[in-house]
Amino acid sequence: MELLKEARNGNKRAIARLITLAESEAEEASHALQQLYAYTGGAHIVGITGPPGSGKSTLTDKIVKKLRKEDKKVAILAVDPTSPFTGGAILGDRVRMSDLNLDEGVYIRSLGTRGKLGGLSKAVHYATKILDACDYDYIFIETVGVGQSEVDIVKTADTTIVVMVPGLGDDIQAIKAGILEIGDLFIVNKSDRDGANRLSIELQMMLDLNAVKSEWTPPINMTVASKSEGVDEVVEKIKNHFVYLQESGELTVRRRQRLETEIIDLVIQKLTTYMTKKMSKEGSYEEELNRVFNKETDPYTLVNKMLNESLK
Amino acid sequence: MAEKLIRVLVAKPGLDGHDRGAKVVARALRDAGMEVIYTGLRQTPEQIAAAAVQEDVNVVCLSLLSGAHNHLFPKVVQLLKEKDAGDILVVGGGVIPDADIPYLKENGIAEIFTPGTPTSKAIEFITSHVQ
Amino acid sequence: MFDKEKLASIQSAKEGWDNGTVAKALGKYKERREEFTTSSKIPVERLYTPLNTADLDYEQDLGFPGQYPFTRGVQPTMYRGRFWTMRQYAGFATAEESNKRYKYLLEQGQTGLSVAFDLPTQIGYDSDDEIAHGEIGKVGVAIDSLADMETLFSGIPLDKVSTSMTINAPASVLLAMYIAVGEKQGVSADVLRGTIQNDILKEYSARGTYIYPPAPSMRLITNIFEFCSKNVPKWNTISISGYHIREAGSTAVQEVAFTLADGIAYVKAAIDAGLNVDDFAGRLSFFFNSHNNLLEEVAKFRAARKLWAKIMKERFGATKPRSWMLRFHTQTGGSTLTAQQPDNNIVRVAMQTLAAVLGGTQSLHTNSKDEALALPTEDSVRIALRTQQIVAYESGVCDTIDPLAGSYYVEALTKKIEDEAMAYIEKIDALGGADKAIEQGFIQKEIADSSYNYQKEVESGHEVIVGMNKFYIEEKPVEGLLRVDPAVGEAQVKKLKAMKENRDNVAVKNKLDALKEAAKTDANLMPYILDAVRVYGTEGEICNILREVFGEYRPVEIL
């Protein structure tokens, strides 16, 4: 397992290769993942989400630079939506982080959603595991907070940061309630703009209304990421949250829950792949489908039959 | 197993700000089903090579109109080799005189696309040269 | 322009023609296309008649040359008085080489200079900066300090020429150097004539040579407006440019809309900075592209002139007629040139020249046939200049003003472009102005969409480019292209090093420190920059000082 050894030694080419292999679910990768698992658990996984134009990438860039001064190894997974039509994607988030490119202690990877349901969370899952096992202290997962799948991804983080910005037209009411529930830390970025205070107050009110029973009260931070203002405080809060998670035992609870979801997801994905392959190979599927369509049988009977046959 | 997806880094080395061509190529490759990572303007060869490695791309497309190609293109190839990533296909495009093409090819640029080349030709080249 | 009765009669005659003569012809032969459109996707009708211009009010919509709304031209006599300024954009390698080319061009009858700078100069880096490697002298001349600028204009009296400089983010520095060269020649600033491009917004949206973020960049621009209105009154302080927006792939309508939207943002910024609109508006100039669709281009220039006059008068309340005038430079469309059969480009450029002249340009650069391959050679630059001279002296189109006015098609198209551009401007207003629209990536995305659509149409053969996707031939590689000697870079670096050793480095440090302190306040920075330039502080040193205070711009990439 040369690749695995190289990756654990910090060779970025090997890490990158492993992620690609895992993404495409190559045989080689599944062995590597099995062996890597023992080394995981050391990284603090931080999700960052927010609408387009909220300055997430710039903020991530600044947070990472601060962590680098403390000599932490940091990985960034930049997630962009994939065109549902062609499967292709243009991933442009590196643009705002290009001076991190040359930092030996930073690894940046862009991930597309690859058009398939669950495709993205799977890719993020594998990449996170690999980076965690390769001794990255922090793994940032950056997504555009627009769709359910992005929200799902962020949920897999230990700490979730929600970035907002005044004057983007969408007022706070429009923000998905789901996002308020997942945020451990809220940031009003570009806070030198008009409306920043109002946004912060409205956000506070919404959070009070939404209050969940927990000892952690999500703080709201004001930043101007482009000028590095407020970034140190954000880094402080990220660390505080992790300490809270550890001390309250919440970390164990969250990670266990996450493991459970991950396993179920993997089972479902494997099963789906297996079933689709099997059905298309046997060729009888088309025929069965026609029968359902012509009302000769019904979908429920067909599904039961397919399952019974597969799981024999 | 998922089908093999081609990942491409579209990069603008040097100081040249003309990104019309790079953007058109990025969109065309996307529409051909590839995953395209766009670096933005003013990237040094070092930044481009580092991004190519971290992103584990199959191809690097360099676009340059300022005339500094003889200096910048071979540098990218050389840096990739140093990073043990000499297998990444490097192609280039832009205002590049015919006379410079042999030199660039000798220095590891697999193909040069000059003004007026249809994007379909670049797509075909990439698809047939990525193993 | 016709009475109702007459129009009704034309209407019924046209219906007769449509249903009779035309229908019969169409029965026999189909037209070449189902739909005809201009490059901006404006539908083109089979025939234009007085019906298309029925709503036109001559005095309000067209008026007279030299009078509001200037649709027919900004000067009362236009080219009957004098031709446009023939101004070829040039510069490469070292200041010495470029100085020779300028003198050659002036001897050939060119009437104004236009300086092209290399990329390190355009982005505020000295030639000895690591990042400049490989780019020195490539797309223009390398200027590091006043010493280079003195060489560039050696033997060219600055009180006799007008000089246009394509410089944006560091425009203040290069303008200061030009003023300082004038001082050395004994020419005072108040007689200097010329233009700096100084248009940062289109750098963010289309051209890419930005340095600082928008707010400090806008401050530098308004500093220049203010400084020049007092000290360099004949200088055009900005050339608000649609040229590069078009080159980046926009349509003609978008070119007008985004350029004027940028113009609105500058005027607003200057007014917000406390300037009186009539004190600076007369020094604003514009820069457009001239493409192949001859009549659409003519209509574009006319529409832009009319729109700007209205914007300045109605929106900003300018009262001086000069503040209402859209004066513009034109360059023929670089992206229309083909690398294949480059001689064909001469014909394209001739057509584009005609469009610019029929559109009433104040100055013109014609591209050379070999520019899709490399920088132009001296021979090909001469042909390009001759093209302008042929149109000026031989074509007869300059003998009367705005000769296409009243063409049913041109007038209808002028109105259509005006309306569509205005709709865009309103959309940009709603986003908070051009600066905000750029920050949100709106303008970049609109341009990229148009550019990609065009590319697809070329590849499908719907758009024909002669010699490239039709009428193609096998050709031998073109020989004799201009090459910039790589030794130029080394020589420039050496020269810079020697200059730094010989100057008064204490004075340089003092002036740079003073600039830095001033940058932190809201002082006008022009006098400080001028001070630093006079003691041979370099462009890179000055820009780096400002980078420390202002930070650097990070682009929004919307693809």
Side-chain angles (χ1 to χ4, degrees), chain C residues 17 38 90 126 144 207 224 234 339 364 372 418 433 462 530 558:
Chain C
W17 176 73
T38 68
D126 281 343
D144 292 318
R207 190 166 173 272
I224 293 170
K234 291 184 180 161
L364 178 63
E418 184 192 336
H462 183 79
L530 194 51
I558 305 279

Side-chain angles (χ1 to χ4, degrees), chain A residues 65 90 95-99 193, chain C residues 436 439-440 554-557 559:
Chain A
K65 280 184 181 140
I90 297 180
V95 173
R96 270 171 302 267
M97 299 188 267
S98 57
D99 36 325
R193 284 194 185 169
Chain C
K436 295 283 178 294
E439 208 177 307
Q440 293 165 46
R554 298 261 180 156
V556 201
E557 293 298 346
L559 285 159

Side-chain angles (χ1 to χ4, degrees), chain C residues 93-124:
Chain C
T94 57
E96 286 86 357
E97 291 257 12
S98 296
N99 176 260
K100 266 190 239 160
R101 174 74 64 96
Y102 296 157
K103 287 178 175 161
Y104 170 81
L105 285 167
L106 291 170
E107 278 162 25
Q108 293 300 311
Q110 174 165 304
T111 48
L113 295 177
S114 175
V115 184
F117 297 98
D118 71 356
L119 285 165
T121 306
Q122 292 187 48
I123 308 175

Side-chain angles (χ1 to χ4, degrees), chain C residues 45-230:
Chain C
E45 293 176 25
R46 182 173 298 115
L47 187 79
Y48 286 78
T49 66
L51 297 169
N52 297 90
T53 56
D55 295 332
L56 206 68
D57 178 322
Y58 183 83
E59 281 157 287
Q60 280 208 352
D61 292 322
L62 297 180
F64 292 90
Q67 286 180 8
Y68 187 87
F70 304 102
T71 312
R72 304 204 61 182
V74 292
Q75 289 123 358
T77 62
M78 288 303 290
Y79 308 132
R80 286 167 68 101
R82 71 174 184 87
F83 294 126
W84 60 94
T85 304
M86 299 178 192
R87 195 193 291 278
Q88 297 297 93
Y89 182 51
F92 61 99
T94 57
E96 286 86 357
E97 291 257 12
S98 296
N99 176 260
K100 266 190 239 160
R101 174 74 64 96
Y102 296 157
K103 287 178 175 161
Y104 170 81
L105 285 167
L106 291 170
E107 278 162 25
Q108 293 300 311
Q110 174 165 304
T111 48
L113 295 177
S114 175
V115 184
F117 297 98
D118 71 356
L119 285 165
T121 306
Q122 292 187 48
I123 308 175
Y125 294 112
D126 281 343
S127 299
D128 59 359
D129 200 301
E130 165 86 32
I131 204 165
H133 204 86
E135 309 264 20
I136 304 166
K138 280 276 160 48
V139 302
V141 58
I143 299 292
D144 292 318
S145 75
L146 180 56
D148 296 324
M149 204 71 161
E150 287 163 11
T151 311
L152 188 65
F153 293 103
S154 145
I156 302 173
L158 297 195
D159 53 347
K160 298 283 186 316
V161 290
S162 83
T163 303
S164 166
M165 294 192 273
T166 300
I167 194 76
N168 294 280
S172 50
V173 184
L174 275 300
L175 173 61
M177 288 183 186
Y178 194 80
I179 295 171
V181 172
E183 288 168 357
K184 300 236 159 182
Q185 287 188 359
V187 177
S188 71
D190 59 358
V191 299
L192 295 176
R193 284 179 304 122
T195 308
I196 40 174
Q197 200 161 72
N198 200 22
D199 170 11
I200 199 67
L201 291 174
K202 66 95 177 49
E203 296 297 331
Y204 301 133
S205 65
R207 190 166 173 272
T209 66
Y210 41 74
I211 305 177
Y212 320 110
S217 297
M218 294 299 270
R219 169 199 174 174
L220 282 170
I221 291 168
T222 49
N223 282 177
I224 293 170
F225 286 1
E226 193 193 3
F227 179 85
C228 288
S229 74
K230 291 179 190 144

Side-chain angles (χ1 to χ4, degrees), chain A residues 206-252:
Chain A
M206 293 283 284
L207 287 172
D208 291 346
L209 281 174
N210 247 298
V212 222
K213 272 170 258 153
S214 152
E215 285 161 44
W216 176 264
T217 319
I220 301 171
N221 276 60
M222 308 282 261
T223 58
V224 185
S226 60
K227 295 182 187 157
S228 303
E229 286 172 24
V231 173
D232 290 2
E233 290 78 2
V234 172
V235 172
E236 207 49 48
K237 293 278 160 56
I238 292 173
K239 290 179 183 167
N240 288 349
H241 185 248
F242 199 62
V243 172
Y244 156 77
L245 289 176
Q246 283 172 319
E247 289 178 353
S248 64
E250 179 80 17
L251 189 65
T252 321

